[in-house]
Coordinates of all heavy atoms in Angstrom, one line a residue:
M1 N 4.5 -0.9 8.2 CA 4.1 -0.1 7.0 C 5.0 -0.5 5.8 O 6.2 -0.6 5.9 CB 4.2 1.4 7.3 CG 3.8 2.2 6.0 SD 3.8 4.0 6.1 CE 4.1 4.5 7.7
R2 N 4.4 -0.7 4.7 CA 5.1 -1.0 3.4 C 5.2 0.2 2.6 O 4.1 0.7 2.2 CB 4.5 -2.2 2.7 CG 5.2 -2.6 1.5 CD 5.2 -4.1 1.4 NE 5.8 -4.6 0.2 CZ 7.1 -4.8 0.0 NH1 7.9 -4.5 1.0 NH2 7.6 -5.2 -1.1
I3 N 6.4 0.6 2.2 CA 6.6 1.9 1.4 C 7.3 1.5 0.1 O 8.3 0.9 0.1 CB 7.5 2.9 2.3 CG1 6.8 3.1 3.6 CG2 7.7 4.1 1.5 CD1 7.7 3.8 4.6
V4 N 6.8 2.0 -0.9 CA 7.4 1.8 -2.3 C 8.0 3.2 -2.6 O 7.3 4.2 -2.7 CB 6.4 1.4 -3.3 CG1 7.1 1.4 -4.7 CG2 5.9 0.0 -3.0
I5 N 9.3 3.2 -2.9 CA 10.0 4.4 -3.5 C 10.2 4.1 -4.9 O 11.0 3.3 -5.3 CB 11.3 4.7 -2.7 CG1 11.0 4.9 -1.2 CG2 11.9 5.9 -3.4 CD1 12.3 5.1 -0.4
A6 N 9.5 4.8 -5.8 CA 9.5 4.4 -7.2 C 10.7 5.0 -8.0 O 11.1 4.5 -9.0 CB 8.2 4.8 -7.9
D7 N 11.1 6.2 -7.6 CA 12.1 6.9 -8.3 C 13.5 7.1 -7.5 O 13.5 6.8 -6.3 CB 11.6 8.3 -8.7 CG 10.4 8.3 -9.5 OD1 10.2 7.3 -10.3 OD2 9.6 9.2 -9.4
Q8 N 14.5 7.5 -8.3 CA 15.8 7.6 -7.7 C 15.8 8.7 -6.6 O 15.2 9.7 -6.7 CB 16.8 8.1 -8.8 CG 18.2 8.4 -8.3 CD 18.9 7.1 -8.0 OE1 18.7 6.1 -8.6 NE2 19.8 7.1 -6.9
M9 N 16.5 8.3 -5.5 CA 16.6 9.2 -4.3 C 18.0 9.1 -3.7 O 18.6 8.0 -3.9 CB 15.6 8.9 -3.2 CG 14.1 9.1 -3.7 SD 13.1 9.1 -2.2 CE 12.5 10.8 -2.4
E10 N 18.4 10.1 -3.0 CA 19.7 10.0 -2.3 C 19.7 8.9 -1.3 O 18.7 8.6 -0.6 CB 20.0 11.3 -1.6 CG 20.1 12.5 -2.5 CD 21.4 12.4 -3.4 OE1 22.4 11.9 -3.0 OE2 21.3 12.9 -4.6
E11 N 20.8 8.2 -1.2 CA 20.9 7.0 -0.3 C 20.6 7.4 1.1 O 19.9 6.6 1.9 CB 22.2 6.3 -0.4 CG 22.2 4.9 0.1 CD 21.2 4.0 -0.5 OE1 20.9 4.0 -1.7 OE2 20.5 3.3 0.3
E12 N 21.0 8.6 1.5 CA 20.7 9.0 2.9 C 19.2 9.2 3.2 O 18.7 8.8 4.2 CB 21.4 10.4 3.1 CG 21.2 11.0 4.5 CD 21.8 12.3 4.7 OE1 22.8 12.7 3.9 OE2 21.4 13.0 5.6
V13 N 18.5 9.6 2.2 CA 17.0 9.8 2.3 C 16.4 8.4 2.4 O 15.5 8.2 3.2 CB 16.5 10.6 1.1 CG1 15.0 10.6 1.1 CG2 17.0 12.0 1.1
V14 N 16.8 7.5 1.6 CA 16.3 6.1 1.6 C 16.5 5.5 3.0 O 15.6 4.8 3.5 CB 16.9 5.3 0.5 CG1 16.4 3.8 0.6 CG2 16.5 5.9 -0.9
R15 N 17.7 5.7 3.5 CA 18.0 5.1 4.9 C 17.1 5.7 5.9 O 16.6 4.9 6.7 CB 19.5 5.5 5.3 CG 20.5 4.5 4.8 CD 21.8 4.7 5.5 NE 22.4 6.0 5.5 CZ 23.1 6.5 4.5 NH1 23.4 5.7 3.5 NH2 23.6 7.7 4.5
E16 N 16.8 7.0 5.8 CA 15.8 7.6 6.8 C 14.4 7.0 6.6 O 13.7 6.8 7.6 CB 15.8 9.1 6.7 CG 17.1 9.8 7.2 CD 17.3 9.5 8.7 OE1 16.4 9.7 9.5 OE2 18.4 9.2 9.0
I17 N 14.0 6.9 5.4 CA 12.7 6.3 5.1 C 12.6 4.9 5.6 O 11.5 4.4 6.1 CB 12.3 6.5 3.6 CG1 12.2 8.0 3.3 CG2 11.0 5.7 3.3 CD1 12.0 8.2 1.8
R18 N 13.6 4.1 5.5 CA 13.6 2.7 6.0 C 13.3 2.6 7.5 O 12.9 1.6 7.9 CB 15.0 2.0 5.7 CG 15.2 1.7 4.2 CD 16.4 0.9 4.0 NE 16.8 0.8 2.6 CZ 16.3 0.1 1.7 NH1 15.3 -0.7 2.0 NH2 16.7 0.1 0.4
K19 N 13.6 3.7 8.2 CA 13.3 3.7 9.6 C 11.7 3.7 9.9 O 11.3 3.4 11.0 CB 13.9 4.9 10.3 CG 15.4 4.9 10.3 CD 16.0 6.2 10.9 CE 17.5 6.2 10.9 NZ 18.0 7.5 11.4
L20 N 11.0 4.0 8.9 CA 9.5 4.1 9.0 C 8.8 2.8 8.7 O 7.6 2.7 9.0 CB 9.0 5.2 8.1 CG 9.6 6.6 8.3 CD1 9.1 7.6 7.2 CD2 9.2 7.1 9.7
G21 N 9.5 1.9 8.0 CA 8.8 0.7 7.6 C 9.6 -0.1 6.6 O 10.8 0.2 6.3
D22 N 9.0 -1.1 6.0 CA 9.6 -2.0 5.0 C 9.6 -1.3 3.7 O 8.5 -0.9 3.2 CB 8.8 -3.3 4.9 CG 9.3 -4.3 4.0 OD1 10.5 -4.2 3.6 OD2 8.5 -5.1 3.5
V23 N 10.7 -1.0 3.1 CA 10.9 -0.2 1.9 C 11.2 -1.1 0.7 O 12.1 -1.9 0.8 CB 11.9 0.9 2.1 CG1 12.2 1.6 0.8 CG2 11.5 1.9 3.2
D24 N 10.5 -0.9 -0.4 CA 10.8 -1.5 -1.7 C 11.3 -0.3 -2.5 O 10.5 0.5 -3.0 CB 9.6 -2.1 -2.2 CG 9.9 -3.0 -3.4 OD1 11.1 -3.0 -3.9 OD2 9.0 -3.8 -3.9
Y25 N 12.6 -0.2 -2.7 CA 13.3 0.9 -3.4 C 13.4 0.5 -4.9 O 14.1 -0.5 -5.2 CB 14.6 1.2 -2.8 CG 15.4 2.3 -3.4 CD1 14.8 3.6 -3.6 CD2 16.7 2.2 -3.8 CE1 15.5 4.6 -4.2 CE2 17.4 3.2 -4.4 CZ 16.8 4.4 -4.6 OH 17.5 5.4 -5.2
K26 N 12.9 1.4 -5.8 CA 12.9 1.2 -7.2 C 12.7 -0.2 -7.7 O 13.5 -0.9 -8.3 CB 14.3 1.7 -7.7 CG 14.5 3.2 -7.6 CD 15.8 3.7 -8.0 CE 16.2 3.3 -9.4 NZ 17.5 3.7 -9.8
P27 N 11.5 -0.7 -7.3 CA 11.1 -2.1 -7.7 C 11.1 -2.3 -9.2 O 10.7 -1.4 -10.0 CB 9.7 -2.3 -7.1 CG 9.2 -0.9 -7.0 CD 10.3 0.0 -6.7
A28 N 11.5 -3.5 -9.7 CA 11.5 -3.8 -11.1 C 10.1 -3.8 -11.7 O 9.9 -3.4 -12.8 CB 12.2 -5.1 -11.3
D29 N 9.1 -4.2 -10.9 CA 7.7 -4.3 -11.3 C 6.9 -3.4 -10.3 O 6.5 -4.0 -9.2 CB 7.2 -5.7 -11.3 CG 5.8 -5.8 -11.8 OD1 5.1 -4.8 -12.0 OD2 5.4 -7.0 -12.1
I30 N 6.7 -2.2 -10.6 CA 6.0 -1.3 -9.6 C 4.6 -1.7 -9.4 O 4.1 -1.6 -8.3 CB 6.1 0.2 -10.1 CG1 5.6 1.1 -9.0 CG2 5.3 0.4 -11.4 CD1 5.8 2.5 -9.1
R31 N 3.9 -2.3 -10.4 CA 2.5 -2.7 -10.2 C 2.5 -3.8 -9.1 O 1.6 -3.8 -8.3 CB 1.9 -3.2 -11.5 CG 1.8 -2.0 -12.5 CD 1.3 -2.5 -13.8 NE 1.0 -1.4 -14.7 CZ 0.6 -1.5 -15.9 NH1 0.4 -2.7 -16.4 NH2 0.4 -0.4 -16.6
A32 N 3.4 -4.8 -9.2 CA 3.4 -5.9 -8.2 C 3.8 -5.3 -6.9 O 3.2 -5.8 -5.9 CB 4.4 -7.0 -8.7
A33 N 4.7 -4.4 -6.8 CA 5.1 -3.9 -5.5 C 4.0 -3.1 -4.8 O 3.8 -3.1 -3.6 CB 6.3 -2.9 -5.7
L34 N 3.1 -2.4 -5.6 CA 2.0 -1.7 -5.1 C 0.9 -2.5 -4.5 O 0.1 -2.0 -3.7 CB 1.4 -0.7 -6.1 CG 2.3 0.5 -6.5 CD1 1.7 1.2 -7.7 CD2 2.5 1.4 -5.3
A35 N 0.9 -3.8 -4.8 CA -0.2 -4.7 -4.3 C -0.2 -4.7 -2.8 O -1.3 -4.9 -2.2 CB 0.0 -6.1 -4.9
E36 N 0.9 -4.5 -2.1 CA 1.0 -4.6 -0.7 C 1.4 -3.3 -0.1 O 1.6 -3.2 1.1 CB 2.0 -5.7 -0.3 CG 1.7 -7.1 -0.7 CD 0.4 -7.6 -0.1 OE1 0.2 -7.4 1.1 OE2 -0.4 -8.2 -0.8
A37 N 1.5 -2.2 -0.9 CA 2.0 -0.9 -0.4 C 1.0 -0.1 0.4 O -0.2 -0.1 0.0 CB 2.5 -0.1 -1.5
D38 N 1.5 0.5 1.4 CA 0.7 1.5 2.2 C 1.0 2.9 1.7 O 0.1 3.8 1.9 CB 1.0 1.4 3.7 CG 0.6 0.0 4.2 OD1 -0.6 -0.4 4.2 OD2 1.5 -0.7 4.7
A39 N 2.2 3.1 1.3 CA 2.6 4.5 0.8 C 3.5 4.3 -0.4 O 4.2 3.4 -0.6 CB 3.4 5.1 1.9
L40 N 3.3 5.3 -1.3 CA 4.1 5.4 -2.5 C 4.8 6.8 -2.5 O 4.2 7.8 -2.4 CB 3.2 5.3 -3.8 CG 3.9 5.6 -5.1 CD1 5.0 4.6 -5.4 CD2 2.8 5.6 -6.2
I41 N 6.2 6.7 -2.7 CA 6.9 8.0 -2.8 C 7.5 8.1 -4.3 O 8.1 7.1 -4.7 CB 8.1 8.0 -1.8 CG1 7.5 7.9 -0.4 CG2 8.9 9.3 -2.0 CD1 8.5 7.8 0.7
V42 N 7.2 9.2 -4.9 CA 7.7 9.4 -6.3 C 8.5 10.8 -6.3 O 8.4 11.6 -5.4 CB 6.6 9.4 -7.3 CG1 5.9 8.1 -7.3 CG2 5.6 10.6 -7.0
R43 N 9.2 10.9 -7.4 CA 9.8 12.2 -7.7 C 9.1 12.7 -9.0 O 7.9 12.9 -9.0 CB 11.3 12.1 -7.9 CG 11.9 11.8 -6.5 CD 13.4 11.9 -6.4 NE 13.8 13.3 -6.5 CZ 15.0 13.7 -6.6 NH1 16.0 12.8 -6.7 NH2 15.3 15.0 -6.6
S44 N 9.8 12.8 -10.1 CA 9.2 13.3 -11.4 C 9.0 12.2 -12.4 O 8.1 12.3 -13.2 CB 10.1 14.4 -12.0 OG 10.2 15.5 -11.1
A45 N 9.8 11.1 -12.3 CA 9.7 10.1 -13.4 C 8.4 9.3 -13.4 O 7.9 9.0 -14.4 CB 10.9 9.2 -13.2
T46 N 8.0 8.9 -12.2 CA 6.8 8.0 -12.1 C 5.5 8.9 -12.2 O 5.4 9.9 -11.5 CB 6.8 7.2 -10.8 OG1 8.0 6.4 -10.8 CG2 5.6 6.4 -10.7
K47 N 4.6 8.5 -13.1 CA 3.3 9.1 -13.3 C 2.3 8.3 -12.5 O 2.1 7.2 -12.7 CB 2.9 9.2 -14.7 CG 4.0 9.8 -15.7 CD 4.3 11.3 -15.3 CE 5.4 11.8 -16.2 NZ 6.3 12.7 -15.6
V48 N 1.7 9.0 -11.5 CA 0.7 8.3 -10.6 C -0.6 8.5 -11.3 O -1.3 9.6 -11.1 CB 0.8 8.8 -9.2 CG1 -0.2 8.0 -8.3 CG2 2.2 8.7 -8.6
T49 N -1.1 7.5 -12.0 CA -2.3 7.6 -12.8 C -3.4 6.8 -12.2 O -3.1 5.9 -11.3 CB -2.1 7.1 -14.2 OG1 -1.7 5.7 -14.2 CG2 -1.0 7.9 -15.0
K50 N -4.6 6.9 -12.6 CA -5.7 6.1 -12.1 C -5.4 4.7 -12.4 O -5.7 3.8 -11.5 CB -7.0 6.5 -12.9 CG -8.2 5.8 -12.4 CD -9.5 6.4 -13.1 CE -10.7 5.7 -12.5 NZ -11.9 6.3 -13.2
E51 N -4.8 4.3 -13.6 CA -4.5 3.0 -13.9 C -3.5 2.4 -12.9 O -3.6 1.3 -12.4 CB -3.9 2.8 -15.3 CG -3.5 1.4 -15.6 CD -2.7 1.3 -16.9 OE1 -2.5 2.3 -17.6 OE2 -2.3 0.2 -17.2
L52 N -2.4 3.2 -12.6 CA -1.4 2.7 -11.6 C -2.0 2.5 -10.3 O -1.7 1.5 -9.6 CB -0.2 3.7 -11.6 CG 0.9 3.3 -10.7 CD1 1.6 2.0 -11.3 CD2 1.9 4.4 -10.6
L53 N -2.9 3.4 -9.8 CA -3.5 3.2 -8.5 C -4.4 2.0 -8.4 O -4.6 1.5 -7.3 CB -4.4 4.5 -8.2 CG -3.5 5.8 -8.0 CD1 -4.5 7.0 -7.9 CD2 -2.6 5.7 -6.8
S54 N -4.9 1.5 -9.6 CA -5.7 0.3 -9.5 C -5.0 -0.9 -9.1 O -5.6 -1.9 -8.7 CB -6.3 0.1 -10.9 OG -5.4 -0.4 -11.9
F55 N -3.7 -0.9 -9.1 CA -2.8 -2.0 -8.6 C -2.5 -1.8 -7.1 O -1.7 -2.6 -6.6 CB -1.5 -2.0 -9.4 CG -1.8 -2.4 -10.9 CD1 -1.9 -1.4 -11.8 CD2 -1.9 -3.7 -11.3 CE1 -2.1 -1.7 -13.1 CE2 -2.1 -4.1 -12.6 CZ -2.2 -3.0 -13.5
A56 N -3.0 -0.8 -6.5 CA -2.6 -0.5 -5.1 C -3.9 -0.4 -4.1 O -4.3 0.6 -3.7 CB -1.9 0.9 -5.1
P57 N -4.4 -1.6 -3.8 CA -5.7 -1.6 -3.0 C -5.5 -1.1 -1.6 O -6.5 -0.7 -1.0 CB -6.1 -3.1 -3.1 CG -4.8 -3.8 -3.3 CD -4.0 -2.9 -4.2
R58 N -4.3 -1.2 -1.0 CA -4.0 -0.8 0.4 C -3.5 0.6 0.5 O -3.3 1.1 1.6 CB -3.1 -1.8 1.0 CG -3.6 -3.1 1.2 CD -2.6 -4.1 1.8 NE -1.6 -3.4 2.7 CZ -0.7 -4.1 3.3 NH1 -0.6 -5.4 3.2 NH2 0.1 -3.4 4.1
L59 N -3.2 1.3 -0.6 CA -2.5 2.6 -0.6 C -3.2 3.6 0.2 O -4.4 3.8 0.0 CB -2.2 3.0 -2.0 CG -1.1 4.0 -2.2 CD1 0.3 3.3 -1.8 CD2 -1.0 4.5 -3.7
K60 N -2.5 4.3 1.1 CA -3.1 5.3 1.9 C -2.4 6.7 1.7 O -3.0 7.7 2.0 CB -2.9 5.0 3.4 CG -3.6 3.8 3.9 CD -3.2 3.4 5.3 CE -3.7 2.1 5.7 NZ -2.9 1.0 5.2
L61 N -1.2 6.7 1.1 CA -0.5 8.0 0.9 C 0.3 7.9 -0.4 O 1.0 6.9 -0.7 CB 0.5 8.2 2.0 CG 1.4 9.4 1.9 CD1 0.7 10.7 1.9 CD2 2.5 9.3 3.0
V62 N 0.2 9.0 -1.2 CA 1.2 9.2 -2.3 C 1.9 10.5 -2.0 O 1.3 11.5 -1.7 CB 0.4 9.4 -3.7 CG1 1.4 9.9 -4.7 CG2 -0.3 8.1 -4.1
A63 N 3.2 10.4 -1.8 CA 4.1 11.5 -1.5 C 5.0 11.9 -2.7 O 5.7 11.0 -3.2 CB 4.9 11.3 -0.2
R64 N 4.9 13.1 -3.1 CA 5.8 13.6 -4.2 C 7.0 14.3 -3.6 O 6.8 15.3 -2.9 CB 5.1 14.5 -5.1 CG 5.9 15.3 -6.1 CD 6.2 14.6 -7.3 NE 7.1 15.2 -8.3 CZ 7.6 16.4 -8.5 NH1 7.3 17.3 -7.7 NH2 8.4 16.7 -9.5
A65 N 8.2 13.7 -3.7 CA 9.4 14.4 -3.2 C 9.8 15.5 -4.2 O 10.7 15.3 -5.0 CB 10.5 13.3 -3.0
G66 N 9.1 16.6 -4.1 CA 9.3 17.7 -5.0 C 8.2 18.7 -4.8 O 7.3 18.6 -4.0
V67 N 8.3 19.8 -5.6 CA 7.4 20.9 -5.4 C 6.0 20.7 -5.9 O 5.0 21.0 -5.2 CB 8.1 22.2 -6.1 CG1 7.2 23.4 -6.0 CG2 9.4 22.4 -5.4
G68 N 5.8 20.3 -7.2 CA 4.5 20.3 -7.8 C 3.9 18.9 -7.6 O 4.5 18.0 -7.1
L69 N 2.7 18.8 -8.2 CA 1.9 17.5 -8.2 C 1.5 17.2 -9.6 O 0.5 16.5 -9.8 CB 0.7 17.6 -7.2 CG 1.1 17.6 -5.7 CD1 -0.1 18.0 -4.9 CD2 1.7 16.3 -5.3
D70 N 2.2 17.7 -10.6 CA 1.8 17.6 -12.0 C 1.8 16.1 -12.5 O 1.1 15.8 -13.4 CB 2.6 18.4 -12.9 CG 4.1 18.3 -12.7 OD1 4.5 18.3 -11.6 OD2 4.8 18.1 -13.7
N71 N 2.5 15.2 -11.8 CA 2.6 13.8 -12.2 C 1.8 12.9 -11.3 O 1.9 11.7 -11.4 CB 4.1 13.4 -12.2 CG 4.7 13.5 -10.8 OD1 4.5 14.4 -10.1 ND2 5.5 12.5 -10.5
V72 N 0.9 13.5 -10.5 CA 0.0 12.8 -9.6 C -1.5 13.1 -10.0 O -1.9 14.3 -9.9 CB 0.3 13.1 -8.1 CG1 -0.7 12.3 -7.2 CG2 1.7 12.8 -7.8
D73 N -2.2 12.1 -10.3 CA -3.7 12.3 -10.6 C -4.4 12.4 -9.2 O -4.8 11.5 -8.6 CB -4.2 11.1 -11.4 CG -5.7 11.3 -11.8 OD1 -6.4 12.1 -11.1 OD2 -6.1 10.6 -12.7
Q74 N -4.5 13.7 -8.8 CA -5.0 14.0 -7.5 C -6.5 13.5 -7.4 O -6.9 13.0 -6.3 CB -4.9 15.5 -7.2 CG -3.4 15.9 -7.1 CD -3.3 17.4 -6.9 OE1 -3.7 17.9 -5.8 NE2 -2.8 18.0 -7.8
E75 N -7.3 13.7 -8.4 CA -8.7 13.3 -8.4 C -8.8 11.8 -8.2 O -9.7 11.4 -7.4 CB -9.4 13.8 -9.6 CG -9.6 15.3 -9.7 CD -10.4 15.7 -10.9 OE1 -11.2 14.9 -11.4 OE2 -10.3 16.8 -11.3
A76 N -8.0 11.1 -8.9 CA -8.0 9.6 -8.7 C -7.7 9.2 -7.3 O -8.3 8.3 -6.7 CB -7.1 8.9 -9.7
C77 N -6.7 9.9 -6.7 CA -6.3 9.6 -5.3 C -7.4 9.9 -4.4 O -7.8 9.1 -3.5 CB -5.0 10.4 -5.0 SG -3.5 9.8 -5.8
I78 N -8.0 11.1 -4.5 CA -9.1 11.5 -3.6 C -10.3 10.5 -3.8 O -10.9 10.1 -2.7 CB -9.6 12.9 -4.0 CG1 -8.5 13.9 -3.6 CG2 -10.9 13.2 -3.3 CD1 -8.7 15.3 -4.1
G79 N -10.6 10.1 -5.0 CA -11.6 9.1 -5.2 C -11.4 7.7 -4.5 O -12.3 7.0 -4.1
K80 N -10.1 7.4 -4.3 CA -9.8 6.2 -3.6 C -9.5 6.4 -2.1 O -9.1 5.5 -1.4 CB -8.6 5.5 -4.3 CG -9.0 5.0 -5.6 CD -7.8 4.1 -6.2 CE -7.9 2.8 -5.4 NZ -7.2 1.7 -6.0
G81 N -9.6 7.6 -1.6 CA -9.3 7.9 -0.2 C -7.8 8.0 0.1 O -7.4 7.7 1.2
I82 N -7.0 8.2 -0.9 CA -5.6 8.3 -0.7 C -5.1 9.7 -0.5 O -5.4 10.6 -1.3 CB -4.9 7.7 -2.0 CG1 -5.3 6.2 -2.2 CG2 -3.3 7.8 -1.8 CD1 -4.8 5.7 -3.5
K83 N -4.4 9.9 0.6 CA -3.9 11.3 0.9 C -2.7 11.6 -0.1 O -1.9 10.7 -0.4 CB -3.4 11.4 2.3 CG -2.9 12.7 2.7 CD -2.5 12.8 4.2 CE -1.8 14.1 4.4 NZ -2.4 14.9 5.4
V84 N -2.6 12.8 -0.5 CA -1.5 13.3 -1.4 C -0.7 14.4 -0.7 O -1.3 15.3 -0.2 CB -2.1 13.8 -2.8 CG1 -1.0 14.3 -3.7 CG2 -2.9 12.7 -3.5
A85 N 0.6 14.2 -0.8 CA 1.4 15.2 -0.1 C 2.6 15.5 -1.1 O 3.0 14.7 -1.9 CB 1.9 14.7 1.2
N86 N 3.2 16.7 -0.9 CA 4.5 17.0 -1.6 C 5.4 17.8 -0.7 O 5.1 17.9 0.5 CB 4.2 17.8 -2.9 CG 3.6 19.2 -2.6 OD1 3.2 19.5 -1.6 ND2 3.7 20.0 -3.7
T87 N 6.5 18.2 -1.2 CA 7.5 18.9 -0.4 C 7.7 20.3 -1.0 O 8.7 20.5 -1.7 CB 8.8 18.1 -0.3 OG1 9.3 17.8 -1.6 CG2 8.6 16.8 0.5
P88 N 6.8 21.2 -0.8 CA 6.9 22.5 -1.5 C 8.1 23.3 -1.3 O 8.5 24.1 -2.2 CB 5.6 23.2 -1.0 CG 5.3 22.6 0.3 CD 5.8 21.2 0.2
G89 N 8.9 23.2 -0.2 CA 10.1 24.0 0.0 C 11.3 23.2 -0.4 O 12.4 23.7 -0.2
A90 N 11.2 22.1 -1.0 CA 12.4 21.2 -1.3 C 13.5 21.9 -2.1 O 14.6 21.6 -1.9 CB 11.9 19.9 -1.9
S91 N 13.1 22.7 -3.1 CA 14.1 23.3 -4.0 C 14.5 24.7 -3.6 O 15.2 25.4 -4.4 CB 13.6 23.2 -5.4 OG 12.4 24.0 -5.6
T92 N 14.0 25.2 -2.5 CA 14.3 26.6 -2.2 C 15.7 27.0 -2.2 O 16.2 28.0 -2.8 CB 13.6 26.9 -0.8 OG1 12.3 26.6 -0.9 CG2 13.8 28.4 -0.4
N93 N 16.6 26.2 -1.5 CA 18.0 26.5 -1.5 C 18.6 26.4 -2.8 O 19.5 27.3 -3.2 CB 18.7 25.5 -0.5 CG 18.4 25.9 1.0 OD1 17.9 26.9 1.3 ND2 18.8 25.0 1.9
A94 N 18.3 25.4 -3.6 CA 18.9 25.2 -4.9 C 18.5 26.4 -5.8 O 19.4 26.9 -6.6 CB 18.4 23.9 -5.5
V95 N 17.3 26.8 -5.8 CA 16.9 27.9 -6.6 C 17.6 29.2 -6.2 O 18.1 30.0 -7.0 CB 15.3 28.1 -6.5 CG1 14.9 29.4 -7.2 CG2 14.6 26.9 -7.2
A96 N 17.7 29.4 -4.9 CA 18.4 30.6 -4.4 C 19.8 30.6 -4.8 O 20.4 31.7 -5.2 CB 18.3 30.7 -2.9
E97 N 20.5 29.5 -4.7 CA 21.9 29.4 -5.1 C 22.1 29.6 -6.6 O 23.0 30.3 -7.0 CB 22.4 28.0 -4.8 CG 22.6 27.8 -3.3 CD 23.0 26.3 -2.9 OE1 23.0 25.5 -3.8 OE2 23.2 26.1 -1.7
L98 N 21.1 29.1 -7.4 CA 21.2 29.4 -8.9 C 21.0 30.8 -9.2 O 21.8 31.4 -10.0 CB 20.1 28.6 -9.5 CG 20.0 28.7 -11.0 CD1 21.3 28.2 -11.7 CD2 18.8 28.0 -11.6
V99 N 20.1 31.5 -8.5 CA 19.9 32.9 -8.7 C 21.1 33.8 -8.4 O 21.5 34.7 -9.1 CB 18.7 33.4 -7.9 CG1 18.6 34.9 -8.0 CG2 17.4 32.8 -8.5
I100 N 21.8 33.4 -7.3 CA 22.9 34.2 -6.8 C 24.1 33.8 -7.6 O 24.9 34.5 -8.1 CB 23.2 34.0 -5.3 CG1 22.0 34.6 -4.6 CG2 24.5 34.5 -4.9 CD1 22.1 34.4 -3.1

């Protein structure tokens, strides 16, 4: 499986994801990297638009490493049969620590 990680992530997380397949971490040309990608992982910086998805003919999954999906065009993904996922509990500890 070819995985593109578009945004900054902790090195430990990238190491774990590398166990799942061939990882292209923060590629200089995301459009070119998506040509062979099966999965795309983003945080907040990368906007997953219909245009961006047009460069990803093999893409099966867009995963947002974060709570919301405001930077992912879900309709465009559904239209192309791409599954969309996020990590809704990712910031729970940080928010609780901030409150306390």
Side-chain angles (χ1 to χ4, degrees):
M1 176 180 354
R2 183 137 174 86
I3 304 165
V4 173
I5 301 174
D7 298 332
Q8 179 69 35
M9 296 194 117
E10 296 294 324
E11 199 53 45
E12 179 181 342
V13 173
V14 175
R15 273 195 306 275
E16 288 298 312
I17 294 170
R18 287 188 194 282
K19 295 176 182 178
L20 302 173
D22 181 24
V23 172
D24 192 350
Y25 179 54
K26 293 176 55 180
D29 184 352
I30 189 167
R31 293 175 175 180
L34 287 174
E36 300 294 321
D38 298 297
L40 170 62
I41 301 173
V42 298
R43 292 189 76 187
S44 297
T46 300
K47 307 301 180 214
V48 182
T49 63
K50 184 176 183 179
E51 178 190 357
L52 186 64
L53 294 172
S54 72
F55 294 93
R58 294 178 28 178
L59 203 62
K60 298 174 190 76
L61 172 68
V62 172
R64 166 87 185 346
V67 176
L69 291 168
D70 53 311
N71 60 321
V72 178
D73 185 339
Q74 295 175 66
E75 288 184 27
C77 289
I78 291 167
K80 292 190 73 160
I82 299 169
K83 182 176 172 126
V84 177
N86 68 343
T87 55
S91 62
T92 302
N93 287 347
V95 171
E97 290 171 357
L98 178 65
V99 169
I100 292 177

